[in-house]
């Protein structure tokens, strides 16, 4: 099996992307916590293409307001 090429991912030590990364972590792992504030967040808030892509998946899954027990499954389905 051939190895997949490495994606252009941000360096986790780069402070320029820490707010974006932490926001996405909350959106994915604890959507109920961030749901009240997420209306203020949109794709333009993510400067790295990888983080914009993650936000696009969140949007395709219905957004944080639709998070429920199947949230992780919907996110996974939206990546295909």
């Amino acid at each position: 099996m051939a190895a997949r090429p490495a994606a252009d991912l941000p360096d986790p030590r780069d402070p320029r992307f820490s707010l974006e990364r932490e926001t996405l972590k909350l959106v994915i792992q604890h959507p109920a916590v961030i749901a009240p504030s997420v209306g203020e967040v949109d794709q333009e808030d993510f400067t790295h293409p990888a983080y914009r892509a993650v936000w696009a998946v969140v949007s395709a899954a219905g957004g944080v307001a639709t998070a429920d027990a199947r949230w992780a499954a919907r996110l996974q389905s939206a990546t295909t």
Side-chain angles (χ1 to χ4, degrees):
M1 174 184 242
R4 293 176 61 182
D8 181 23
L9 299 175
D11 182 343
R13 297 166 297 193
D14 189 334
R16 295 176 298 162
F17 303 117
S18 63
L19 181 59
E20 296 174 32
R21 181 177 52 256
E22 295 305 313
T23 299
L24 289 171
K25 284 167 55 175
L26 280 172
V27 163
I28 293 168
Q29 297 174 9
H30 304 287
V33 171
I34 194 127
S37 302
V38 83
E40 302 169 17
V41 178
D42 67 19
Q43 183 177 5
E44 298 302 314
D45 292 316
F46 299 97
T47 58
H48 195 282
Y51 291 155
R52 279 190 177 199
V54 172
W55 185 255
V57 168
V58 168
S59 297
V64 175
T66 67
D68 57 13
R70 298 211 18 88
W71 178 238
R74 284 201 325 274
L75 289 174
Q76 184 177 16
S77 292
T79 63
T80 58

